[in-house]
């Protein structure tokens, strides 16, 4: 028996089907062990030795692997074809070695796609584990551990309220914070544009002013309304004639197939998916055999795939859309490995896969890969200049015509931010023509700050700088969100105060370690290790030799010294110039003291130097604090409770703002939700929040009360120990009985209510056998059945979007793959197993007494 190890159960099931009876394929479910999150897991004094620990939740899987490995003739490690995959295989091998269950014959195979041809071919070319890749993994893991477990404690002790720091995470945060600083420091500049609406042969077009009173007009040339109106008047008074028509051919080439980062960028632009969602869906497409491996920075495609793509283009379009020679791409990204292919379909004859978001992402991958081998688009760009009789004023109109769409007939790459393009159609004009002037417009504009990063543009920037790896971007960005260092609004990253504070601390005290070139340089060194050109322990030693003394030096500083230096470093942001010559640090409450940054038990805040006489404070970089946070002089009274007459106070706590009032002998408190309908807390809303939980009424079936309230995870309904989420704070007070009963029922169904024999959906008659096809809920997920054959739904097909034809195809494929039924014969008689009779109670007692005595 030959034992094959892969990461996921979906892969295991598919691959075992391809390999046949002599093979058993088990899943490791990802990494089986890791460095435990405690001091001492990496020992720099012992050659950076690492104390690995098995994951507790993998015990069952490791036992299954160990049991089979003991009886296996050969162990085949077939995890993913990247650094992480090599590491998982190494971990499995080491665990089996420790358990003395490692077969004598151990081999490593890799494949870029999960198809029968690819798998069987990979099995013919086994190799040994790549020790260079394993060393690079160990170096990266140790490096991230040492940075996190050395730097984070410094943050906790010197910057209360800070949560963590990381080698790549902190640099990504710095990018977001620096962009926020640029936006905050940006001073908009006024400018005006003048344009004329012209018409020739019944077709209208626009021409903008490019020369005025003999001077060239750039974007910022006209900065005042008076000049704009004067220029408008000159254009209105002039009679403009076409002076020149210039036409230039242009060519646009297709983009290369997707890498991990470009897929994340394009999925964010076109599908609105986060990096982590993109990778999750791509993983499922890969495991279903639809696409090649989705963690790659290579843009090349296999020659057979290029041939298949060219054939698909020839079948789909006429000959003009197929270039004479195949296109060959090379990546331009820094630190690219190009270890394996770009992301592409496994079969170019398969135009659609799955449904919902899976279908959309596959469509994106399919079109991008196919377009990469198509002909270039040919355009014609036209520029027309018109001058008045004096020659002092000139207008220009530009346009573009697509002569041949080429790859644009199938796919056009998205952009993060709109760009001005000369894509307008122009009428046929020649020198001497005098188009009719319909209107002249003078429009005011203001320069705009640089745009905040979207997930796509941040991933792109990290890749350009050579920071991190494509496979780590999704988890890095998710960590920034989880730590509340950033927030996402309208698909853009906004730096929170806590993120600004942590970045300022790292820039002030650990500048080298959040420098872009230093972090990219570390990536280069890790790549040198993976290529066998550097020794991993020497790379770690060089880093640790400088990093450890620096952290010890900062740890010696008093928190007050750290705060004082941050106060100076952050002064331009915390105390911006008011523009009137007054002191920006002057306390607005006492008008005498000066404001400064201080550290408190729950984080940083701004306070007056006359404390405790002046109690002015303002939060900064802690829960409940935000940009432009309201000044605080202690608890704020919102008014008297309408029923009790007791004051309702607004207070600030460790976990954010809350309200409080006294009701008899009881003090009632309630957190302040962020989604109040009117945008701010009023006395009326405060009284409502303090009245929770609200009784909606008694359930018509059980007679037990249904209540609505706000809990740790947001607004919810409760009834008889069962719960249903509500969408907003407003729903807590607006949901009626009918809606509450329906929501509770929906929640019960979604939560895995008792499965019965009733189908989720009757799809209809099988188009070929006419058997009724039903969608059912099974123990391991939804499946379809025609009464004879059951077929599990792939992850790429959403049950609610399943069509009758898709269901029929799944059943047909399952029926065709089923093993032939054994011929009926006489059943072999087997002697019944003899089982020892259970001793009677008295016999049990006698047996125990005998054991105790002897």
């Amino acid at each position: 028996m030959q034992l094959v190890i892969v990461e996921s159960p979906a892969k295991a099931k598919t691959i075992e089907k391809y390999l046949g009876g002599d093979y058993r394929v088990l899943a490791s479910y990802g990494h089986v062990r890791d460095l435990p999150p405690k001091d001492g897991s990496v020992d720099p004094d012992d050659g950076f030795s690492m104390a690995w620990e098995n994951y507790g939740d993998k015990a069952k899987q490791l036992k299954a692997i160990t049991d089979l490995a003991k009886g296996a003739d050969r162990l085949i490690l077939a995890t993913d074809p990247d650094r992480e995959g090599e590491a998982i295989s190494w971990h499995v091998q080491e665990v089996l070695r420790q358990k003395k269950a490692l077969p004598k014959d151990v081999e490593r195979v890799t494949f870029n796609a999960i198809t029968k041809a690819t798998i069987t071919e990979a099995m013919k070319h086994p190799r040994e584990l790549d020790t260079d890749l394993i060393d690079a993994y160990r170096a990266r893991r140790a490096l991230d551990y040492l940075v996190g477990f050395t730097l984070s404690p410094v943050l906790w002790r010197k910057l209360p309220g800070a949560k963590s720091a990381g080698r790549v995470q902190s640099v990504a945060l710095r990018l977001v914070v620096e962009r926020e600083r640029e936006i905050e420091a940006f001073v908009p500049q006024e400018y005006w544009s003048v344009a004329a609406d012209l018409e020739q042969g019944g077709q209208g077009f626009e021409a903008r002013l490019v020369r005025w009173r003999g001077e060239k007009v750039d974007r910022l040339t006209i900065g005042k309304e008076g000049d704009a109106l004067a220029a408008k008047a000159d254009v209105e008074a002039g009679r403009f004639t076409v002076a020149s028509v210039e036409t230039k051919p242009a060519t646009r080439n297709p983009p290369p197939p997707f890498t991990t980062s470009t897929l994340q960028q394009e999925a964010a632009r076109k599908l609105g998916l986060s990096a982590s969602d993109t990778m999750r869906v791509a993983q499922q497409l890969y495991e279903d055999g639809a696409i090649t491996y989705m963690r790659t920075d290579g843009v090349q495609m296999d020659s057979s795939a290029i041939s298949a793509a060219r054939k698909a283009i020839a079948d789909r379009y006429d000959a003009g859309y197929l270039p004479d020679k195949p296109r060959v791409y090379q990546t331009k990204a820094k630190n690219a490995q190009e270890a394996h292919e770009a992301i592409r379909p496994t079969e170019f004859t398969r135009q659609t896969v799955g449904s919902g978001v899976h279908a959309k992402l596959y469509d994106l991958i399919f079109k991008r890969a196919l377009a990469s081998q198509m002909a270039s688009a040919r355009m014609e760009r036209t520029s027309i200049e018109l001058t008045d009789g004096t020659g002092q004023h000139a207008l220009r109109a530009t346009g573009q015509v697509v002569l041949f769409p080429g790859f644009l007939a199938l796919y056009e790459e998205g952009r993060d931010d709109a760009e001005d393009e000369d894509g307008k159609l122009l009428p046929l004009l020649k020198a001497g023509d005098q188009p009719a002037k319909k209107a002249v417009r003078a429009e005011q504009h203001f320069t705009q700050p640089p745009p905040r990063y979207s997930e796509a543009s941040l991933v792109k920037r990290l890749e350009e700088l050579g920071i991190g790896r494509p496979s780590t971007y999704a988890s890095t960005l998710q960590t920034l969100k989880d730590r509340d260092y950033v927030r996402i609004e309208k698909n853009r990253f906004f730096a929170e105060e806590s993120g600004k504070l942590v970045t300022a601390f790292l820039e002030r005290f650990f500048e080298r370690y959040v420098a872009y070139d230093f972090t990219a340089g570390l990536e280069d060194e890790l790549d040198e290790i993976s290529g066998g050109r550097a020794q991993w322990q020497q790379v770690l030693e060089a880093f640790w030799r400088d990093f450890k003394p620096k952290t010890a030096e900062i740890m010696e500083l008093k928190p007050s010294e750290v705060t004082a230096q941050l106060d100076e470093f952050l002064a331009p942001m915390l105390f911006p110039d008011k523009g009137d010559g007054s002191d920006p640090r002057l306390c607005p409450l006492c008008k005498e003291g000066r404001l400064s940054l201080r550290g408190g038990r729950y984080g940083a805040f701004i306070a007056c130097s006359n404390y405790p006489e002046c109690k002015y404070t303002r939060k900064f970089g802690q829960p409940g604090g935000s940009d432009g946070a309201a000044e605080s002089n202690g608890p704020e009274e919102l008014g008297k409770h309408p029923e009790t007459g007791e004051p309702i106070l607004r207070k600030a706590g460790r976990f954010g703002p809350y309200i409080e009032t006294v009701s008899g002998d009881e003090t009632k408190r309630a957190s302040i939700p962020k989604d109040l309908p009117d945008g701010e807390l009023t006395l009326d809303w405060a009284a409502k929040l303090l009245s929770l939980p609200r009784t909606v009424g008694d359930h018509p079936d059980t007679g037990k009360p249904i209540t609505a309230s706000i809990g740790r995870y947001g607004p919810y309904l409760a009834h008889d120990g069962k719960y249903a989420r509500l969408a907003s704070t407003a729903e807590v007070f607006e949901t009626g009985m009918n809606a509450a009963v329906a929501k509770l029922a929906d929640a019960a169904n979604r939560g895995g209510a008792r499965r019965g024999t009733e189908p989720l959906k009757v799809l209809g008659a099988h188009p070929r056998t006419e058997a009724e096809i039903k969608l059912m809920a099974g123990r391991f997920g939804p499946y379809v059945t025609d009464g004879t054959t059951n077929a599990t739904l792939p992850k790429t097909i959403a049950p609610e979007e399943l069509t009758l034809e898709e269901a029929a195809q799944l059943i047909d494929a399952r029926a065709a793959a089923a093993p032939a039924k054994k011929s009926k014969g006489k059943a072999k008689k087997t002697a019944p197993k003899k089982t020892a009779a259970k001793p009677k109670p008295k016999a049990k007692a006698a047996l125990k007494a005998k054991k105790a005595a002897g």
Side-chain angles (χ1 to χ4, degrees):
M1 184 267 289
Q2 303 182 64
L3 176 60
V4 181
I5 303 298
V6 296
E7 284 100 333
S8 79
K11 285 171 66 175
K13 185 178 178 181
T14 304
I15 292 171
E16 188 168 85
K17 181 177 66 175
Y18 292 153
L19 292 178
D22 188 39
Y23 291 84
R24 287 294 308 276
V25 185
L26 289 183
S28 70
Y29 288 82
H31 278 281
V32 296
R33 64 179 190 171
D34 196 9
L35 296 173
K38 62 183 180 181
D39 288 337
S41 294
V42 177
D43 187 356
D45 298 328
D46 186 25
F48 297 93
S49 60
M50 302 180 205
W52 302 100
E53 180 180 85
N54 293 351
Y55 284 122
D57 61 351
K58 299 292 176 66
K60 182 179 178 181
Q61 201 59 24
L62 281 174
K63 184 180 185 305
I65 292 172
T66 304
D67 290 346
L68 275 180
K70 288 177 180 177
D73 303 315
R74 178 185 177 210
L75 174 66
I76 302 170
L77 300 167
T79 49
D80 288 340
D82 59 6
R83 234 179 251 171
E84 288 298 307
E86 205 74 18
I88 292 170
S89 285
W90 174 70
H91 280 304
V92 170
Q93 177 182 270
E94 292 304 298
V95 169
L96 292 177
R97 192 192 306 278
Q98 290 171 7
K99 294 178 180 291
K100 297 181 179 179
L102 189 67
K104 185 178 180 180
D105 190 3
V106 180
E107 294 176 333
R108 171 85 165 111
V109 300
T110 58
F111 37 82
N112 194 39
I114 303 176
T115 63
K116 187 171 184 178
T118 306
I119 300 298
T120 52
E121 183 64 23
M123 290 294 171
K124 297 176 185 176
H125 304 285
R127 60 169 172 82
E128 294 182 351
L129 281 171
D130 190 322
T131 55
D132 293 331
L133 282 180
I134 294 166
D135 286 347
Y137 159 79
R138 290 200 285 182
R140 183 182 294 275
R141 191 68 194 88
L143 196 58
D144 289 341
Y145 172 90
L146 290 171
V147 171
F149 275 83
T150 307
L151 191 53
S152 292
V154 178
L155 276 174
W156 300 334
R157 295 180 191 179
K158 305 303 176 184
L159 199 67
K163 295 180 179 178
S164 71
R167 186 175 63 88
V168 177
Q169 163 199 327
S170 298
V171 180
L173 177 60
R174 183 184 180 184
L175 281 171
V176 176
V177 170
E178 285 189 342
R179 179 57 55 88
E180 199 75 32
R181 290 175 189 160
E182 290 179 56
I183 294 169
E184 290 171 353
F186 181 80
V187 178
Q189 183 177 345
E190 180 185 11
Y191 68 96
W192 290 74
S193 65
V194 177
D197 293 329
L198 307 176
E199 186 179 288
Q200 175 77 8
Q203 182 177 344
F205 64 101
E206 179 186 281
R208 55 188 174 84
L209 183 66
V210 293
R211 189 167 68 248
W212 180 47
R213 295 178 180 175
E215 299 292 330
K216 182 181 179 182
V217 175
D218 291 321
R219 189 175 68 138
L220 302 178
T221 300
I222 304 175
K224 297 179 181 178
E225 183 179 14
D227 291 341
L229 295 177
K232 177 186 176 186
D234 288 342
V235 173
E236 287 175 331
R239 186 175 180 83
F240 287 85
T241 303
V242 175
S244 65
V245 179
E246 186 178 3
T247 301
K248 290 182 179 179
T251 302
R252 189 169 161 191
N253 296 322
F258 283 128
T259 62
T260 301
S261 64
T262 55
L263 176 63
Q264 290 174 359
Q265 293 168 42
E266 195 74 336
R269 297 185 194 108
K270 291 189 171 180
L271 304 181
L273 294 178
S274 66
S276 55
D277 285 341
T278 298
M279 296 310 291
R280 174 182 56 80
V281 176
Q283 174 83 34
Q284 291 169 350
L285 288 170
Y286 167 65
E287 291 178 357
D288 281 346
I291 63 171
T292 54
Y293 191 56
M294 68 289 162
R295 289 190 175 93
T296 174
D297 50 20
V299 291
Q300 72 277 10
M301 287 202 304
D302 181 79
S303 58
S304 62
I306 292 176
S307 298
R310 287 173 62 84
K311 183 180 184 305
I313 294 165
D315 292 343
R316 190 166 181 165
Y317 300 98
D318 62 44
Y321 286 84
L322 189 65
D324 295 335
K325 296 180 180 178
R327 294 185 181 276
V328 178
Y329 295 95
Q330 291 184 334
T331 187
K332 297 178 182 178
K334 192 175 179 182
N335 294 336
Q337 298 297 298
E338 294 194 308
H340 42 265
E341 284 188 81
I343 304 169
R344 63 166 177 84
T346 53
E347 300 174 28
F348 280 96
T349 54
R350 196 176 178 187
Q351 295 189 25
T352 59
V353 167
S355 59
V357 70
H358 295 85
K360 292 176 182 177
L361 190 65
Y362 179 81
D363 184 65
L364 207 60
I365 294 168
F366 178 88
K367 288 180 177 176
R368 173 87 167 217
L370 197 64
S372 72
Q373 290 299 320
M374 291 177 69
S376 301
R378 296 196 307 273
M379 290 108 165
E380 187 177 79
R381 289 176 181 161
T382 303
S383 179
I384 300 170
E385 187 155 315
L386 305 96
T387 56
D388 70 343
T390 66
Q392 293 290 298
H393 314 309
L395 302 173
R396 181 174 298 148
T398 55
Q400 178 175 283
V401 175
V402 176
L403 301 177
F404 173 69
F407 76 94
L408 291 175
L410 179 66
Y411 178 86
E412 184 166 8
E413 191 172 23
R415 290 180 173 81
D416 294 306
D417 300 291
E419 297 178 1
D420 291 329
E421 286 195 322
D422 301 328
K424 299 174 183 177
L425 293 175
L426 296 175
L428 184 62
L429 290 163
K430 61 183 185 298
D433 285 345
Q434 291 185 338
K437 192 191 308 168
K438 296 297 183 182
V440 180
R441 291 172 281 105
E443 296 178 339
Q444 183 186 38
H445 309 276
F446 291 92
T447 53
Q448 297 296 313
R452 288 183 171 85
Y453 284 109
S454 64
E455 201 156 303
S457 59
L458 184 56
V459 165
K460 183 178 181 181
R461 185 62 180 144
L462 287 168
E463 186 181 40
E464 288 171 349
L465 292 170
I467 294 168
R469 306 301 312 155
S471 59
T472 66
Y473 292 147
S475 59
T476 297
L477 301 188
Q478 190 60 47
T479 299
L480 295 182
K481 300 175 200 173
D482 293 343
R483 297 286 184 268
D484 292 324
Y485 288 158
V486 300
R487 71 180 187 277
I488 301 289
E489 287 184 12
K490 296 180 179 178
N491 295 321
R492 297 284 173 169
F493 281 97
F494 285 72
E496 296 282 21
E497 284 183 349
S498 54
K500 294 177 184 177
L501 189 61
V502 167
T503 298
F505 176 86
L506 295 174
E507 287 177 319
R508 177 63 187 83
F509 298 107
F510 294 93
E511 183 179 11
R512 182 187 183 199
Y513 302 101
V514 289
Y516 303 133
D517 56 352
F518 177 80
T519 308
L522 275 179
E523 294 292 345
D524 288 334
E525 292 187 66
L526 291 168
D527 291 340
E528 290 293 298
I529 296 170
S530 65
R533 298 178 294 276
Q535 206 277 333
W536 70 277
Q537 289 154 315
Q538 292 175 1
V539 170
L540 289 176
E541 177 61 37
F543 172 83
W544 189 245
R545 190 167 51 240
D546 294 328
F547 183 68
K548 179 59 177 175
K550 183 64 176 176
T551 56
E553 173 193 329
I554 304 305
M555 195 66 92
E556 291 298 318
L557 293 175
K558 296 178 181 177
S560 58
E561 293 176 313
V562 171
T563 306
Q565 293 191 45
L566 288 177
D567 175 78
E568 182 180 350
F569 186 83
L570 290 169
M573 180 179 71
L574 296 177
F575 315 108
D577 190 342
K578 295 181 178 179
D580 57 3
S582 62
D583 183 0
R585 288 182 180 259
L586 184 66
C587 176
L589 187 62
C590 70
K591 308 296 183 184
E592 294 178 0
R594 300 189 79 244
L595 303 179
S596 61
L597 184 69
R598 295 187 184 182
R601 182 181 178 186
Y602 301 122
F605 65 98
I606 296 163
C608 177
S609 58
N610 284 338
Y611 180 86
E613 287 78 15
C614 178
K615 291 184 170 56
Y616 175 88
T617 59
R618 188 173 81 227
K619 285 185 180 182
F620 180 78
Q622 57 175 296
S626 59
D627 294 333
E631 299 160 2
S632 172
N633 310 308
E636 174 192 355
E637 183 175 327
L638 297 173
K640 305 296 183 184
H641 195 290
E643 294 179 8
T644 67
E646 295 290 339
I648 297 178
L649 303 177
R650 176 186 178 128
K651 293 185 174 184
R654 182 179 181 182
F655 301 106
Y658 67 95
I659 49 177
E660 178 183 285
T661 191
V662 176
S663 179
D665 296 332
E666 180 187 4
T667 299
K668 299 194 71 174
R669 297 182 180 90
S671 295
I672 301 174
K674 295 180 179 179
D675 66 335
L676 290 179
D678 54 4
E680 61 181 31
L681 182 68
T682 62
L683 179 61
D684 180 48
W685 268 107
K688 283 184 177 181
L689 293 170
L690 289 165
S691 70
L692 294 177
R694 164 184 168 248
T695 300
V696 179
D698 293 337
H699 196 290
D701 294 336
T702 66
K704 295 181 179 180
I706 300 174
T707 59
S709 192
I710 300 173
R712 182 180 179 185
Y713 302 107
Y716 67 94
L717 291 168
H719 166 254
D720 196 20
K722 297 180 176 60
Y723 302 89
R725 286 188 179 184
L726 294 173
S728 66
T729 299
E731 283 196 4
V732 174
F733 301 96
E734 296 170 359
T735 301
M737 178 58 71
N738 290 338
V741 170
K743 287 178 184 292
L744 286 164
D746 288 344
N749 291 333
R750 286 195 305 271
R754 185 181 65 85
R755 297 183 182 98
T757 57
E758 288 298 314
L760 297 175
K761 186 178 180 182
V762 176
L763 296 166
H766 192 299
R768 289 167 284 284
T769 66
E770 296 187 358
E772 186 177 64
I773 298 179
K774 299 175 183 178
L775 174 65
M776 308 292 290
R779 181 180 177 188
F780 302 106
Y783 67 95
V784 289
T785 181
D786 63 354
T788 303
T789 303
N790 298 341
T792 302
L793 259 64
K795 294 179 181 177
T796 49
I797 296 182
E800 63 273 11
E801 298 179 8
L802 178 70
T803 65
L804 174 62
E805 181 56 35
E806 286 174 333
Q809 289 177 8
L810 289 171
I811 289 171
D812 291 347
R814 183 69 186 88
K821 293 183 179 179
K822 294 180 180 179
S823 58
K824 293 181 179 179
K826 291 184 179 179
K828 187 178 178 180
K829 292 183 179 179
T830 56
K833 290 183 180 180
K834 294 182 179 180
T835 56
K838 293 183 179 179
K840 295 181 180 179
K842 287 184 180 180
K844 281 186 179 179
L847 187 60
K848 284 184 180 179
K850 185 177 179 181
K851 284 183 178 179

